Structure formats: C-alpha cells, structure tokens
Amino acid sequence: MKVFKTSQIKSIDAYTIENEPIESIDLMERAATAIFNWFRSKYHKNRRIKIFCGPGNNGGDGLALARLLINTGFNAHCYYLKADSYSADFLTNLDRLKELTPELFLVKHQSDFPEIHTDDLVVDALYGSGLSRSIEGVAAQLIEHINSSGAKVIAIDIPSGLFGEANPVPNNNPVVKSDYCLSLQFPKLAFFMPENEQFLKRWVVLPIGLHTEAIENTATPYHYTTASSIKTDFFQLSTFAHKGTYGHALVIAGSNGMMGAACLCAKSVVRSGVGLVTMHIPKVGYTIAQVNVPEALTSIDSCETHITQFPELYRYQAVCVGPGIAQSTETDQMLVKLIKTCQLPLVVDADGLNLLSRNIDVLNSVNNALILTPHPGEFDRLFGKSQCSWERLERAREMAQKYGVIIVLKGAYTRVVLPSGNVHFNSTGNPGMATGGSGDVLSGIITGLLARGLPPADAAITGVYIHGLAGDLAADEFGQISLCASDIVNYICKAFQHITNNDE
C-alpha cells in the first residue's frame, strides 16, 4: 500500500472529484458512511456519543456521521465550533442535520462545553490532516476538555492537532489523544512515529473509493507492507529439489558468553527454508552450536573466545555477521576486511553494527548487496544522533542512497529503507517482541531468504514481515508479556504457512 503526504492526499481527493466524477459533498458522504459502518459494527445504539466538529471538511465528516447515527437510532449529540467561515460541504451537512434534529450545539466559549462522562464515546472531527499550525483559543481548550474526560475517543482521519508528517518533539501543542483513529483511505506518515503513540493508541484505515488511477500515478517513496505485498510464488517447492537447491548461508557469530545470539540467528536461518547453514564461531562455541543447532555445519575460528577471521566464501550464497561477536580489535579488523572483499549479499547486525560505527568509511568500499539492521540507538551511533523519528527516517533515506545499502530500522512498524530512498513500513509485530534475541532472529530470517535467492530488497521486506508475523502468532499462543526470541523462532514455520496458505 502506498503512503502519501497530506498534500498528496488532497490532490488525490481533487482528482477523484474531477475524474470519477463525483461531487465533493458525495465523496464526504461516502467517507461518513464508511465511518458509520465501523461504528455500527462496534458499538451498541444505546451508547451515548458526543461528536465535536470543526469548521472545515473534517467537521463536515463529523456532521454527516451524526446524521447517519441519529437517523438509525444512535444516541448521538453534535457540537460545532463557532468560526468566521465554514467550508461549503460543512454548511451543506449542517443544514441536512438541522432538518433531522434540533439537538445541535454551537460552541463559542468554554462555558458551552458539555460534560463528558467516562462512559461516553467522543468523536473528534475538529481538524483534519491539512492542519499546518498549532490549534489555539477555544478549540485548544476543547481539546484539553476532551483529553481530561476519561472517555473513549475516536478521531476521524487524524487526531486533531497532529500534523500529517513531522511534529515537534516533545509535542506540547494541543492534540487530541484518541483511542482509535479512523484514517480515510491511507494511513498518515505520522502514525508510524513512536513519539505520536500518545495521540493514537490504534488506527484503522477505512477505504472510501479514491480514484485508483490517481493513486497509481502519484509517486511516493513511502509504502506499507501488508499480506498482499508479499510475493509467495518464490516459496513454492520443487518436487525434485535437494539441499543444494535452496542455498547455503554462512553465519559469522558468537563469542565467549554470547553464543545464544549465534544460535538464535542460525536457527532462524534454518527455519527460513535455506538448504544448508554453516556457523563460523570461536572454539568456545563448538559444543554449544552442535547441541543447540544440530542442523548447522560448523566452521571453527582459530581463536578460543572470539571471531578473528572468516572462511572462504565461494561455497555460500549469503552471509550474516554480527550477532554476539563482541567488539575486540581483531573482530573489528575481520569485519572491515569482510565488507571490503565480500561479493555476496551480506547482513550486518548487532555488534557488527557497533564495530561498523568505528569504520563508517568502509561503506564507500561496498561491492555487494549490504543490509544493515540497526535499532534506533545503533543507527544513531552509525550515522549521527537524530532528534526525532521523522528526522531519523529521513536520515536513513539519505544514508541508504549515499552508500547504496539497505537499512532495516527496527522497532514498531520496522522501516526497510532501500538505496532508491523508498521506505517500506511493516504491518506485523507486537510490543512483546522487544526482547533480547529478537533482532538475531530477524537477521537470520533475512539471511536465509537471501541464500535461497530472493533479491535483497525483497528479502529484507519479506523477512521483516515474516519476523513480525511469527511474533504475532507466538503472542496469540503465549501472550505478549512472556514472549521470548525462541518463541519467535518456533513460529517462523507457522508464519510461512500463513502467507503461503498451506495452513488451510
């Protein structure tokens, strides 16, 4: 799914109105109907609903929703802000609502605010995604009134006061804190930034039939990876396949006291469907690897406690380096040599990234497909500290293009940033996956897909999706609180079944 900036969404709206063709008031009715259907499927008619409308088209959506709710027996009450001017579609819907009910309340100052009970439903239709400045005056006071009410809040399109892309950090502007946000047709880029979680606990995209031609022809570097984005043909197995058919992956990992990371990574490579896996490990890890990953071959470093070298690479199709390798000088030198000489797809994770941050100029020598998998702290060590998630994302785009690498920026909605500057936000995963070893599992899945022959960009995007899906399936079984990295490994097979429909 494409994700657009708010200015582009406005253009797509205009194109739809002109080329469907459809009147703007009818497009608003279509949006309100989608919102109404969501309400009807979720809430009982007896639930008291208070709808707050601003003077623009977001307010018009709220007025149209109020009419649909009241007309079908919902206990809805509508309040709208006094303004110097209103949008034409707002005024049309205001007249339509007045014909249906006298229960319309004009809000001119704070004394006009209704009491909001904790068991009320509040609908925020004050200001939409086109907002360009901080909300002030009575509207700001109303937002504070809503936020302090303790009621469940549903925002239409975007929480009022939140900008569609970049927002101040910390955000001290008046912004509605919503429990649900019903985003029309597309998610907003602001939804993917962790600083904004306080303003939208959950969001849902409601299709409203915007013109497909406009969507297809409007360029954007931002995308949202869903199940329909994953190419499953690649995972069809041949009857006459053998272990050499599906690639051989090399995992350079582990050190004294850190062999768990190496084993988690190697297990994940195995579960990704690769034909063969070799673990290059220090001597201290030999028995641990043989016991914990019996499916893997071993290549033993000359050093007892840490990695100092790597084997010849001609027999492999992809390499992963970093999980648990620690940060010795010899390991540092090994990594630099590997990056300079490796002509295979290479995944660098964990301590590999920390070592790379000391030698960032080596990225100018890359002659292969290189995938970096940092969490925000590792990213900042690599490329400089960012003040907020939006700045970090834009810097990741800049660095991916500068060095020709793929950056998998881990976290909620993990971002896969390609050398083209395109960004793919991931839709799977849950907070329970924020646990030690989860990143080692991810790097293993991506490495396995690379060794199987999936192109690097697809391997990163698909690997991130499968990793999150495995975590979701494991959480369904065990809950999020107790989720651990081994659970994610054990559910990789279920994730593959899910996306290839073999579980039906």
Side-chain angles (χ1 to χ4, degrees), residues 49 74 112 118 137 144 195 205 210 246 322-323 326 337 349 353 357 375 385 416 452 455 488 491:
I49 304 172
F74 278 85
D112 296 321
T118 55
E144 175 58 31
E195 296 92 341
V205 173
L210 295 185
Y246 298 117
K337 181 179 178 182
D349 185 31
L353 296 168
S357 66
H375 58 58
K385 187 170 180 60
V416 178
R452 282 178 58 100
I488 303 172
Y491 274 79

Side-chain angles (χ1 to χ4, degrees), residues 449-468:
L449 296 177
L450 288 168
R452 282 178 58 100
L454 202 59
D458 291 334
I461 294 166
T462 304
V464 167
Y465 183 88
I466 291 171
H467 177 253

Side-chain angles (χ1 to χ4, degrees), residues 470-499:
D472 289 340
L473 295 171
D476 288 343
E477 180 72 20
F478 304 114
Q480 295 183 15
I481 293 174
S482 297
L483 196 66
C484 68
S486 293
D487 297 329
I488 303 172
V489 174
N490 293 334
Y491 274 79
I492 293 172
C493 54
K494 290 291 186 181
F496 275 108
Q497 284 183 320
H498 192 88
I499 66 170

Side-chain angles (χ1 to χ4, degrees), residues 40-63:
R40 186 167 56 177
S41 69
K42 197 166 185 67
Y43 298 112
H44 193 274
K45 288 184 178 180
N46 291 337
R47 190 75 177 268
R48 187 169 48 239
I49 304 172
K50 291 185 169 72
I51 303 172
F52 295 94
C53 301
N57 282 348
N58 192 250
D61 290 334
L63 292 169

Side-chain angles (χ1 to χ4, degrees), residues 375-450:
H375 58 58
E378 290 166 338
F379 179 87
D380 286 358
R381 283 193 288 275
L382 283 165
F383 301 116
K385 187 170 180 60
S386 299
Q387 298 304 310
C388 63
S389 296
W390 177 259
E391 181 182 320
R392 186 174 294 111
L393 177 63
E394 293 304 287
R395 183 169 294 173
R397 293 182 63 218
E398 178 187 349
M399 294 298 104
Q401 292 175 91
K402 176 180 178 179
Y403 293 113
V405 300
I406 296 172
I407 299 174
V408 177
L409 188 53
K410 294 183 292 193
Y413 308 112
T414 290
R415 304 129 170 81
V416 178
V417 186
L418 304 181
S420 62
N422 284 346
V423 178
H424 294 259
F425 298 98
N426 188 49
S427 63
T428 58
N430 62 81
M433 297 175 70
T435 185
S438 179
D440 303 315
V441 176
L442 173 60
S443 60
I445 296 171
I446 295 173
T447 303
L449 296 177
L450 288 168

Side-chain angles (χ1 to χ4, degrees), residues 61-109:
D61 290 334
L63 292 169
L65 172 65
R67 172 170 43 81
L68 293 170
L69 289 170
I70 293 170
N71 204 34
T72 50
F74 278 85
N75 183 17
H77 305 271
C78 193
Y79 305 82
Y80 67 101
L81 288 173
K82 171 69 175 175
D84 294 332
S85 63
Y86 297 94
S87 74
D89 290 341
F90 175 98
L91 292 173
T92 299
N93 271 309
L94 183 63
D95 289 340
R96 289 176 178 179
L97 187 56
K98 284 179 177 178
E99 293 175 2
L100 181 65
T101 177
E103 294 290 308
L104 271 169
F105 304 95
L106 180 64
V107 176
K108 293 186 285 187
H109 42 69

Side-chain angles (χ1 to χ4, degrees), residues 122-144:
V122 171
V123 177
D124 163 32
L126 292 171
Y127 295 95
S129 58
L131 193 71
S132 59
R133 58 185 176 84
S134 176
I135 296 172
E136 301 174 340
V138 175
Q141 294 171 341
L142 179 56
I143 288 174
E144 175 58 31

